[in-house]
């Protein structure tokens, strides 16, 4: 099953959760109200997400005269991807990492830390840049925003359900029934946001695999990206990022914050070992196995 199909199915699951919660609340009206509120809250962050995130990490525009080779790489990869050349920003961080943002290819931005430009070879850096160009070409920011809108709607509906259960439950019991329905409502109100978070995580992981494959095809060197990922994982374990917010760590090419094994189970990033295995399979060095999925 391709990453695109998996993403579509996961988005459909989020939609199904919204419909189920709305039905428990009282039908179509509850769905429309909660979804409308979530859309309003998320539209602003969608249009200004690039500015918000770049400001969060104190990123600044990187002029061409400061890094001509980097600009040349991005321009060549953008041409391979048939998208406009993204803006390039630099983050004043020693931790080596990179991310892409922008609501569509016409407003794409690639941000790199100072550390990644010192750590990686030109071939490895090109591999990382191709991964980020892949995110932009695949419109992953839009997909993540849609998933965020749906997840926010689920949280909004769940909060309404808890309010209704707590304040309307005692009256239902006094009138001689409804306790079973109240338990169902409370259970769904607790479990639905958890399920939405897990689905969002799965979507993010699927898009990371797709960006690896897309990027490797753009640069033509899957092994360079694989080597870069291995270096970046080791370096970020030694030098975790100081600035920013863990809530948006899924944007980076590798997890920028150190975390324990339990936290890794719920990471927005797939295991580095699996990503490397898939890239090596693309280069014909390993049996594809799960790498084809």
């Amino acid at each position: 099953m391709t990453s695109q199909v998996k993403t579509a199915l996961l988005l459909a699951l989020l939609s199904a959760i919204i419909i189920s919660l709305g039905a428990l609340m009282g039908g179509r009206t509850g769905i429309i109200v909660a979804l409308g509120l979530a859309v309003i809250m998320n539209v602003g962050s969608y249009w200004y997400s690039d500015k918000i995130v770049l400001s969060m990490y104190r990123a600044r525009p990187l002029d061409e005269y400061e890094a001509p080779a980097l600009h040349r790489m991005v321009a060549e990869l953008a041409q391979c991807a048939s998208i406009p050349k993204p803006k390039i920003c630099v983050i004043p961080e020693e931790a080596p990492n990179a991310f892409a943002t922008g609501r569509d290819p016409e407003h794409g931005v690639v941000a790199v830390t100072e550390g990644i430009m010192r750590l990686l070879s030109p071939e490895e850096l090109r591999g990382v840049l191709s991964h980020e160009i892949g995110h932009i070409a695949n419109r992953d920011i839009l997909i993540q925003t849609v998933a965020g809108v749906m997840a926010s709607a689920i949280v909004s509906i769940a909060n309404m359900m808890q309010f209704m259960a707590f304040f309307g439950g005692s009256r239902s019991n006094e009138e001689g029934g409804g306790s079973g329905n109240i338990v169902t409502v409370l259970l769904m109100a607790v479990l639905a946001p958890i399920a939405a978070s897990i689905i969002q995580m799965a979507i993010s992981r699927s898009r990371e695999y797709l960006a690896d494959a897309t990027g490797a095809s753009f640069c033509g060197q899957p092994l360079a990206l694989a080597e870069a990922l291995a270096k970046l994982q080791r370096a970020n374990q030694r030098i975790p990022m100081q600035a920013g917010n863990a809530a948006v760590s899924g944007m980076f090419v590798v997890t920028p914050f150190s975390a324990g094994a339990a936290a890794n189970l719920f990471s927005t990033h797939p295991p580095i070992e699996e990503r490397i295995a898939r890239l090596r399979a693309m280069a014909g060095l390993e049996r594809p196995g799960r790498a084809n999925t």
Side-chain angles (χ1 to χ4, degrees):
M1 187 184 297
T2 66
S3 294
Q4 294 95 325
V5 173
K6 286 181 180 178
T7 301
L9 290 175
L10 291 168
L11 290 173
L13 279 177
L14 285 174
S15 301
I17 293 174
I18 293 175
I19 293 170
S20 299
L21 291 176
L24 281 175
M25 279 191 66
R28 189 176 303 171
T29 302
I31 299 175
I32 294 173
V33 171
L35 185 57
L37 289 174
V39 169
I40 291 172
M41 288 187 296
N42 282 273
V43 162
S45 62
Y46 168 64
W47 284 99
Y48 298 103
S49 61
D50 54 345
K51 295 180 177 63
I52 293 171
V53 175
L54 292 171
S55 174
M56 185 184 299
Y57 287 97
R58 297 179 289 121
R60 66 170 180 83
L62 185 66
D63 292 328
E64 188 167 358
Y65 74 86
E66 297 179 85
L70 182 68
H71 273 267
R72 186 164 54 252
M73 286 182 191
V74 171
E76 291 171 355
L77 291 168
Q79 186 175 13
C80 290
S82 299
I83 63 171
K85 178 189 174 187
K87 296 179 182 177
I88 304 175
C89 290
V90 62
I91 302 169
E93 275 279 354
E94 186 60 31
N97 226 316
F99 69 82
T101 185
R103 61 184 181 271
D104 54 41
E106 286 69 35
H107 298 86
V109 181
V110 171
V112 297
T113 65
E114 294 175 347
I116 198 173
M117 292 190 288
R118 287 192 284 267
L119 175 70
L120 299 184
S121 69
E123 292 77 16
E124 292 164 347
L125 182 58
R126 182 183 176 87
V128 170
L129 293 173
S130 69
H131 171 96
E132 301 306 333
I133 296 291
H135 273 309
I136 295 173
N138 294 333
R139 297 180 179 268
D140 286 337
I141 304 302
L142 175 60
I143 291 170
Q144 296 286 5
T145 300
V146 171
V149 168
M150 291 185 178
S152 295
I154 289 170
V155 172
S156 298
I157 296 173
N159 289 337
M160 292 180 192
M161 291 172 66
Q162 291 182 44
F163 179 86
M164 292 168 61
F166 282 122
F167 289 93
S170 59
R171 182 171 30 207
S172 297
N173 290 332
E174 290 172 1
E175 292 172 356
S179 59
N181 185 58
I182 292 169
V183 171
T184 302
V185 168
L186 285 175
L187 190 61
M188 283 294 293
V190 172
L191 294 180
I194 297 174
S197 297
I198 293 173
I199 292 171
Q200 274 190 286
M201 177 195 72
I203 290 173
S204 178
R205 288 187 173 197
S206 178
R207 305 313 291 186
E208 285 300 313
Y209 283 134
L210 181 59
D212 283 344
T214 304
S217 69
F218 289 158
C219 72
Q221 295 179 298
L223 292 182
L225 176 54
E227 289 295 326
L229 292 176
K231 277 189 180 181
L232 292 175
Q233 182 188 41
R234 292 193 297 267
N236 277 274
Q237 288 173 346
R238 294 195 314 268
I239 315 170
M241 188 164 285
Q242 300 300 313
N245 190 321
V248 293
S249 63
M251 296 181 63
F252 286 89
V253 66
V254 298
T255 304
F257 305 107
S258 58
N264 288 336
L265 291 175
F266 299 97
S267 172
T268 54
H269 289 73
I272 287 290
E273 295 77 13
E274 175 63 16
R275 294 173 67 184
I276 290 174
R278 293 184 181 214
L279 289 166
R280 288 176 62 84
M282 287 185 66
L285 296 182
E286 291 185 5
R287 288 194 310 166
R290 287 189 301 159
N292 280 346
T293 61

